[in-house]
Amino acid sequence: MLYAISGTDAADSLNKRKLARTAHLDRVAALRDAGRLVLAGPYPAIDSTEPGESGYTGSLIVAEFPSLNEATAWASADPYMVAGVWGEVTAKPFIQVAP
C-alpha cells in the first residue's frame, strides 16, 4: 500500500538540512530504485523553486511500504529525523487516484 510521509521542519533547521541532505536523498533513491517511490520533495518556505536562506517547512514522500508500521519506522529512521531537521514526521495511508 502507498503511504504519505510528511516531515515538518524544526525551527532554524536549514543548516542541519544541508548537512543531512545527501544521506536523506540516498534513502529516497533506494525507494526509487526498488520501484516503490511515487514522489518526493520539500515544501519551500516561500513561493519559489529556489528558496535560498528562506529554507523549507518540511518534506513529502509518497511511497509503497508493506504496512503503516514499516512506513512509520522508515520515516522515524530518516536522516532528516535523526539529525533534527524534522521536528515531527507522520505516515498515513494514501490512495492514489491520479494520474
Side-chain angles (χ1 to χ4, degrees):
M1 179 164 190
L2 293 178
Y3 294 89
I5 295 169
S6 184
T8 303
D9 282 18
D12 300 316
S13 62
L14 183 58
N15 286 332
K16 291 177 183 177
R17 179 181 272 271
K18 290 175 182 177
L19 292 172
R21 186 170 191 263
T22 299
H24 166 76
L25 292 178
D26 287 349
R27 279 185 98 227
V28 172
L31 289 174
R32 180 200 62 220
D33 294 348
R36 296 170 47 198
L37 183 66
V38 174
L39 64 88
Y43 300 119
I46 60 173
D47 189 11
S48 173
T49 58
E50 297 291 333
E53 291 305 307
S54 294
Y56 302 89
T57 61
S59 307
L60 173 66
I61 300 162
V62 177
E64 185 178 341
F65 290 90
S67 69
L68 177 57
N69 285 342
E70 291 188 46
T72 300
W74 186 94
S76 296
D78 189 87
Y80 278 179
M81 193 65 192
V82 174
V85 176
W86 293 338
E88 178 182 10
V89 67
T90 60
K92 296 180 181 181
F94 181 81
I95 299 171
Q96 184 176 1
V97 174

